[in-house]
Each structure stands twice: as C-alpha cells, then as structure tokens.
Amino acid sequence: RDLLKTGGAFVVGFLFSPVTARRASAQTPAGAIADVTKPVDIREVDSFLSIHPDGSATVYTGKVDLGTGLRIAVRQMAAEELGIPLSRVALVEGDTSLTPDQGRTGGSSGLTQGGVGVRQAAATARQRLLELASQKLDRPASGLVLLDGRIRPGTGGQGLALADLIGGKQFALQVDPKVTLKDPATYTIVGKSIPRPDVPGKCTGTHMYVHDFKLPGMLHGRAIRPPAIGAKLLSVDEKSISGIPDVRVVRINDFLGVVAKNEWAAVRASAALKATWSDWKGLPGHEDLPHFIRTGTVDHDEKPISKGDSKTALTGAAKQFAASYYFPYQGHASMGPSCAVADARPDSLTIWTASQSTHLFRKVFSESFNLPEEKVRLVYLDGSGCYGQNAHEDAAADAAILSRAVGSPVRVQWSRQDEHGWDPKGPPEVIDMRAGVGADGSLVAWETDLWVPMWINTKGTIPLVGLDAAGITQRQGRWPGSVDENLDPPYAVSNVNVVVHRLKDSPLRPGHVRAPGKVASGFAVESLIDELAVAASADAVAYRLRGLSDPRAGEVLKRAADMLGWQQRPSPNPAAAKNGLLAGRGISYIRYRGNENYVATAMEVAVDPATGKISVQRVVCAHDCGLVVNPDALRNQIEGSIIQTLSKMLYEEVKLDRSRVTSTDWATYPVLKFTDAPAIEVALIDRPAMPLYGAGEASMPPVGGALANAIFDASGIRLRTVPFTPERVKDALRKRG
C-alpha cells in the first residue's frame, strides 16, 4: 500500500488450474477404466488386478485409504506377490464401478480383507503367469522365477516380460483363497518403510480432496437445518433472498435447501432464507444424559461372555470392588467439514464422496432413489478424515437430493456448525463393573453391565439427515455396533459375566467412531484392574503379568514398561510433588479381540493441582499385530491413534440442550492442540511368519486406562467420567482433601 501511495506499481499474475472430472477420477491411472470390460466379480482375478501392455499393473480394492497408509501398503503386497517393481503398480480404491465390494473400510479391515484379497489375487495371477511362461520357455514352472516384471529361468537368462505373456489381456481366472503365498523370508518390498505417495501433495497443497472436485456446469448447494432436531418445516419465505441473484430454493417435505451458481451465494442464501419451523424439545439435556442412558428403555440384552458362576464367586471373594464409568457422546470432529458432489440424472446417479463405505451406500442410494444398483456409482475421493460414519454420506445425500431437484451436478459442503451439530455421534456409555479377588489378590470373578444406544434406528435403517427430512425411504440395515468386545479383563479369571443392555432410543443419532465402544471399555477395565493392584500393594506391571500366560501378551507389557523406564513400586507415587506439579506414571494392556492385536501403553503425566490441568508428557506403546507391511505407515497410524484418544479422554464431549446440540464449533467442542501433544515412542513387534491382523484401532483402547492410572499415581484421585476436564480434576482433588 505504501508503494502504491508513492506512485509505484506492483503486479502479481497467477493461474488456478481447473480441477476437472478427469483429474478427479484421480486415483485412476491412465487407461485403467478402459481395462475394466466386465462386471466387478469379487471371485475373479481380473476384478483385483490388470497387467497393461507396457508391463505396469493396476490393482483394485474396495477398501479406501483414510490417511492410514493403505494406499501404499496394498501396492506393496501386490508388488511383492507379482514380482513387479512397486513404482510400476498403481492403485484404484473405493470406486463402486471399478473395484470389488470388499465391505466397508473399518474394524482394521483395510489390509486384513482389502489387502489380503489383492494379495491372493496377485498370487493366483503369479501362478498362472509361471504356467504360461513354462509353456513358452519349455521349462518347468518350478524352475522359473518372477522378478522385476520378467519371468526367467532360475539358472539365469533373458526370460519373458509379463507384458508379452498377459499385457492388456484378462486372466479369466478365479482367485484361489488357498493359493501359496511367497515365503516371508524372501520379501523385498513388504516390511519396508516405503514413503506414502499422498504425503507430498498433501504437504504442498496439490493433493486432490473431494472439496476440490469440480464438474462442468456444477452448481453449489446448502441444506438448511432446523433450529431443533425434531422440528417440522411449516413455511418458507422465498422473497427473503430475492436480493441474492440466481438462487433456487428446494423444498421437499421437511428438507430445505438452496442452490446457486457459486458457493458464496449459496452460503449467503442459506443464512438469509426465512423459514418457520415447529417447536421441539425432545432431548434430555446435557446434565440428565447419564441418568437417561442408565434408565432408558432396553430393546434387548446381549450376553457376549458368560463363563463360570460370577455371582457366587463374587460373594465368596476375599475382597470385592465396584466402579461406574461414563463415556459421553463424542463427535468425529473432522478438521474439515464434509463435502460431496452428485450428478443425478433421470436414469443414473454418480456421487463423488469421502465415504469409507462406498459399496454399502451404493445400495442405500440405489434403493432410496429407486434406481438399479448398476446405475448408481460412488467414487471415493479423500476427505478430511472420519474413522467411522461421520457426515460424508449425509453431504452426499444432500447433494443427490439437490441435483435431482435442479437437474444439474451439485456440490454440497457442510458448514462447521452443520458438522459438529448434525454428524452421527459416538454414543454415550454407562459401564458398571464389579470384581472379586482372592486372599492373594488374584482375580477370581468379574461382572460388567453396559448401557448403550443401538447403532440403528428403530426401523432398522441407516438414517441420513437429508433423506430422512425429505421423507425418502432408506432400507439398508445397519450393524448394531461391536461394543460388546473387551468388556472383560484380558487376564486369567474363571468366572465372568458381561451383559450389554441395548437401548431402544438414542437422543442423538448414533454412529461409529474409531474403535467403537472399545476406547470406553479399555479405559474402564484397565482402571479397575489398577485399583486391584493398588489394593494388593502390588506394582501395576507385576500384577498384570501374574494374570498373563500368553507370551505375546507378556512381551508387549514388558517392552512398554522397559521403554518408559518403569521402576517397580505400588501406586500412588510417594514422591509425586515436584515444582508445584504432581507427577505420575500409568500403564494399560489390551488383547484386541477379533484381530489378534496385543498392545501395551504406558505414559508419564503431570497434574497441576492449582488449575486442574493434566499434561501428558510422554507416551510409549509396544504393538504386536503380526506381519507388518509398512513399519513407518503403521507407526504413523499408532501415533495418530494415541493422540486422537488423548483428545477424547481430555477434551471431547458433545453438549446438548432440550432441542439441539450446542457444542458446534472448536470453542465449545475443543480437541487436543499441537502444544498439548506428548512425545511418543512406538515399538513394533514384527512377526513375518504370522498373518497380518490389522492395526487401525487396537492402539486406542489402552490409552484411556494408562492415562487414568497415571493421574491416580500422581494425585491419588480416580477419574471415572470422561473427559478429564480441569474442573473435574479440581473437584476430585477437593473431595479427596
């Protein structure tokens, strides 16, 4: 400005490259779409991979990379089995018209199902390629090796390029689930820390996110939500936005939205449009929520674990312990709001979305919009993270409704208030636990009662906000949620009874968050186990080792303790006070059922008694998930899981009044900041001879227990309600005196 005042001039020229539809099918390498000439059949090798005329390969997986490193790990697995350089293997993920339906990406299944399916297909293809080469080279297949994209005699020689054997052609072969895989001792790609291909673009702002995607003639839309969750739309005054040009109002039953040529016009119109809604006060309110959950109407009870006679064993125990824990509603808190683009035509629907369940929601949109499934296509593009079902699918529903109404492609990006207020929430949990120990302090009985809302609504459908408001039927069922796992201790105990009380109603729309239910159960179980160790005047590590006979379990527990520099002693810390702060350490262990993960986490914390602030200073984690495909990507994932869980334990809690969610921004729903992140050290115990068991969730459940136990070690207080806010810490300290 000073330069211009004196008569100077400074000219800056720049160009924004348009993001085209071609670029956004993005993940698809050149020619890959043309290579798919038959319906995607999960039984066929050709559904998982193709060898191109130049000898490069493309692999196809129905799973998607949510930032966990799947994008590189699946390519590593395929390249290893095919004997093709990794640089020559491309990946297509989550496109329902190009990839096999391998189910949703969740439950640590990205590699255990997605990667394993690709690996089996690649190994089946390798065997066929060796057979073809055997015929051409007139040598037995057992004497041939596939390396660097060529098949050569084991004794040496030029051999044949894969392109000459199969390039551009189909295998026309079914995947053999019992195919012989390569010997792990010969791996050259799997087990290596190969950099993720998406990171450079994400660091330089060139990576394609769904938010960046554009189509020719695309319009921008916004859905307008009511001021109360159950409110009905009574009237709309379209004249209230007459000053904003080229805006169209869309009303379908209780669904209300606007569409405009540019996003800012849509944003302005959504804020200015005057609408009248009915009153509604159907929520219990924030303070009454724990009581509401404990006393809610039970749909049914489940008994995932029942062995021995826990009631009699508890009665006869030398000591009995009981504790109740509360875990609140928590949002996904994705750093960017959800976004989607839809192109609805009279006979087809295409949606670009960051959904981690593209094939599942293809069925939902097919039924909801009364279209044959083959006429509905969902194309995965990266979003801003989810780990569960956040609002990606809701944004897709909004875009599809608006696109069908106006006859043009429509992009919908939610606002921050929409995201925090209307995304599906991780449901609240009330957990009662009872334990009995013998005279020597060993565990003899355990009982758990869990109260938790169902993950589906009473109609057994997947509720999407926009479709519900528009009165569009949603018929696809939703799983009830795997919260019945890890509600009992992973230590030796003969008498166990676990009961899950599934509530019929949920005040807010429930949905999966990462490691559904198991963050709460891990926190509760390991907190109570720590109380048993304290009562026995035993060291926390030594007490746990007494109940473990599995060598994999003992190894991770000892490794985590060694990493932290654990000194054996009972809790609490006799020398906790230092520089006005209370210092402590805690440890926690889990055997993650369902995918055979063994994880132990230990940490050091400081508690400021004056402010109630908890500072997590150092976290160590020993992790055994069988075969490790990409150590660096796995380590990144574990570090992220630890940070995310600390955020959930220390900060995150959805607030609500009688009508709506009130924690709709980062001030009212805070998350862990960079300045609060601890030093983290991860030890991976690689077992190449074992299957890979997946690791997307397993490092989360031990974090809460280790944190609660470290706080007790520092201060002598037991925190059983999440999050551990400064107010709750100070209140507990006051009560302890």
Side-chain angles (χ1 to χ4, degrees):
R1 286 197 300 267
D2 289 340
L3 179 64
L4 292 175
K5 288 176 183 177
T6 60
F10 183 54
V11 179
V12 178
F14 56 89
L15 174 68
F16 287 114
S17 299
V19 178
T20 64
R22 180 176 182 80
R23 183 185 164 200
S25 38
Q27 37 167 339
T28 316
I33 291 178
D35 293 330
V36 181
T37 58
K38 58 188 291 188
V40 181
D41 186 339
I42 198 168
R43 298 168 297 180
E44 299 291 330
V45 169
D46 296 308
S47 297
F48 287 95
L49 65 92
S50 57
I51 307 295
H52 305 301
D54 64 355
S56 64
T58 299
V59 295
Y60 304 87
T61 175
K63 304 293 186 179
V64 298
D65 191 334
L66 304 171
T68 58
L70 175 144
R71 199 166 283 143
I72 186 62
V74 169
R75 289 172 56 212
Q76 287 179 253
M77 296 169 73
E80 189 72 75
E81 292 295 338
L82 286 171
I84 297 177
L86 183 63
S87 61
R88 306 215 72 200
V89 178
L91 177 72
V92 176
E93 57 185 298
D95 185 328
T96 59
S97 292
L98 299 179
T99 66
D101 183 355
Q102 295 178 288
R104 65 188 179 91
T105 305
S108 302
S109 65
L111 294 188
T112 58
Q113 295 176 13
V116 166
V118 168
R119 181 168 67 173
Q120 290 175 343
T124 305
R126 172 168 47 80
Q127 286 195 346
R128 174 54 60 88
L129 290 167
L130 290 171
E131 293 169 2
L132 293 174
S134 172
Q135 297 168 10
K136 288 201 172 188
L137 296 173
D138 195 23
R139 289 174 177 264
S142 59
L144 301 176
V145 294
L146 201 168
L147 187 66
D148 291 333
R150 298 187 71 86
I151 296 180
R152 300 180 175 90
T155 55
Q158 184 66 20
L160 296 168
L162 296 190
D164 297 334
L165 289 171
I166 196 72
K169 302 174 185 177
Q170 292 189 338
F171 285 92
L173 181 68
Q174 287 200 344
V175 176
D176 180 3
K178 298 182 180 180
V179 65
T180 301
L181 304 173
K182 287 185 68 174
D183 183 350
T186 67
Y187 284 169
T188 59
I189 302 173
V190 168
K192 306 296 183 185
S193 291
I194 298 171
R196 286 169 40 182
D198 53 322
V199 171
K202 289 177 177 177
C203 291
T204 58
T206 58
H207 183 77
M208 163 67 72
Y209 289 93
V210 66
H211 304 70
D212 305 315
F213 180 51
K214 296 181 177 65
L215 284 174
M218 183 182 78
L219 304 176
H220 294 267
R222 285 281 171 121
I224 300 169
R225 306 298 177 203
I229 289 175
K232 300 297 183 182
L233 182 57
L234 302 179
S235 64
V236 180
D237 179 9
E238 295 193 24
K239 293 181 180 179
S240 60
I241 57 170
S242 59
I244 306 174
D246 299 320
V247 176
R248 179 173 172 179
V249 176
V250 175
R251 178 183 179 179
I252 305 171
N253 296 320
D254 292 317
F255 177 86
L256 181 62
V258 293
V259 177
K261 290 184 178 180
N262 66 75
E263 185 176 10
W264 182 231
V267 171
R268 289 163 53 214
S270 66
L273 182 63
K274 292 182 179 179
T276 304
W277 303 83
S278 65
D279 192 23
W280 184 85
K281 296 184 182 297
L283 299 179
H286 183 68
E287 298 301 325
D288 291 338
L289 191 56
H291 176 74
F292 178 91
I293 297 301
R294 184 182 289 277
T295 60
T297 302
V298 175
D299 181 86
H300 67 278
D301 285 345
E302 299 169 5
K303 292 189 176 182
I305 302 174
S306 180
K307 64 178 182 179
D309 185 349
S310 62
K311 195 170 294 296
T312 300
L314 269 175
T315 303
K319 287 185 180 180
Q320 296 181 20
F321 299 82
S324 295
Y325 304 88
Y326 176 67
F327 216 83
Y329 273 117
Q330 291 185 333
H332 294 82
S334 300
M335 296 305 291
S338 296
C339 182
V341 177
D343 187 1
R345 304 191 181 190
D347 61 347
S348 67
L349 173 62
T350 304
I351 299 173
W352 289 263
T353 172
S355 170
Q356 66 187 73
S357 305
T358 52
H359 284 88
L360 185 152
F361 278 94
R362 181 191 201 185
K363 298 180 178 70
V364 174
F365 286 109
S366 166
E367 295 172 342
S368 299
F369 287 83
N370 197 27
L371 290 168
E373 196 169 320
E374 63 270 16
K375 293 294 185 180
V376 177
R377 179 183 186 185
L378 271 68
V379 181
Y380 176 78
L381 291 173
D382 279 347
S384 55
C386 56
Y387 300 125
Q389 182 195 342
N390 70 349
H392 291 320
E393 293 84 5
D394 293 279
D398 291 343
I401 293 171
L402 293 172
S403 177
R404 187 175 67 168
V406 301
S408 298
V410 173
R411 173 187 181 273
V412 169
Q413 178 173 309
W414 278 27
S415 68
R416 171 53 52 197
Q417 288 67 32
D418 287 340
E419 189 75 26
H420 271 45
W422 290 88
D423 80 321
K425 311 297 183 189
E429 299 176 53
V430 172
I431 307 174
D432 284 356
M433 288 182 170
R434 296 166 295 281
V437 298
D440 63 350
S442 60
L443 193 58
V444 297
W446 187 280
E447 290 186 342
T448 298
D449 281 274
L450 165 68
W451 288 265
V452 64
M454 292 283 286
W455 253 261
I456 56 176
N457 65 12
T458 53
K459 298 179 182 178
T461 61
I462 300 178
L464 296 178
V465 175
L467 297 184
D468 274 356
I472 298 175
T473 303
Q474 304 166 72
R475 302 185 183 91
Q476 180 67 32
R478 183 71 166 174
W479 54 92
S482 53
V483 296
D484 57 359
E485 298 174 358
N486 296 106
L487 285 164
D488 62 316
Y491 311 101
V493 55
S494 300
N495 305 284
V496 180
N497 190 52
V498 175
V499 181
V500 178
H501 308 284
R502 299 277 189 178
L503 304 184
K504 181 172 292 186
D505 299 312
S506 174
L508 301 177
R509 182 170 56 129
H512 280 319
V513 290
R514 200 173 188 183
K518 289 175 276 293
V519 174
S521 61
F523 151 59
V525 168
E526 282 295 289
S527 292
L528 188 53
I529 288 293
D530 215 61
E531 289 196 45
L532 307 187
V534 171
S537 298
D539 173 74
V541 174
Y543 185 83
R544 285 169 169 80
L545 287 172
R546 282 166 48 183
L548 296 174
S549 58
D550 189 327
R552 292 175 67 190
E555 183 173 354
V556 296
L557 192 57
K558 292 174 184 176
R559 179 75 68 90
D562 289 344
M563 292 163 67
L564 196 73
W566 190 277
Q567 299 295 317
Q568 288 207 5
R569 60 166 174 79
S571 286
N573 184 2
K578 186 178 180 180
N579 299 325
L581 300 178
L582 305 177
R585 87 297 169 77
I587 199 163
S588 179
Y589 159 75
I590 189 173
R591 179 182 175 185
Y592 198 77
R593 299 216 178 93
N595 60 7
E596 294 301 311
N597 274 225
Y598 295 76
V599 189
T601 300
M603 66 179 68
E604 296 171 343
V605 306
V607 179
D608 186 340
T611 65
K613 180 177 174 56
I614 299 165
S615 299
V616 181
Q617 299 174 329
R618 184 175 172 231
V619 180
V620 300
C621 176
H623 201 294
D624 175 356
C625 60
L627 169 68
V628 176
V629 176
N630 187 313
D632 187 57
L634 175 56
R635 189 171 285 107
N636 290 341
Q637 188 171 174
I638 293 169
E639 291 169 352
S641 294
I642 291 169
I643 290 173
Q644 187 175 18
T645 312
L646 288 175
S647 181
K648 290 180 176 298
M649 297 300 299
L650 293 171
Y651 295 98
E652 298 184 36
E653 182 175 23
V654 172
K655 303 287 183 65
L656 59 148
D657 60 17
R658 296 297 308 282
S659 299
R660 61 191 177 277
V661 171
T662 57
S663 51
T664 57
D665 54 30
W666 296 118
T668 52
Y669 191 92
V671 296
L672 191 80
K673 297 179 180 178
F674 282 102
T675 52
D676 296 321
I680 300 176
E681 182 181 350
V682 176
L684 301 177
I685 300 174
D686 188 12
R687 302 189 186 276
M690 285 188 173
L692 57 89
Y693 293 114
E697 300 178 340
S699 51
M700 299 185 76
V703 174
L707 175 61
N709 298 337
I711 294 168
F712 174 81
D713 189 55
S715 64
I717 61 173
R718 287 284 175 192
L719 297 178
R720 299 189 177 97
T721 295
V722 174
F724 301 160
T725 62
E727 292 74 23
R728 286 179 175 142
V729 171
K730 287 192 292 183
D731 184 57
L733 287 170
R734 279 194 299 269
K735 289 178 179 177
R736 182 175 179 270

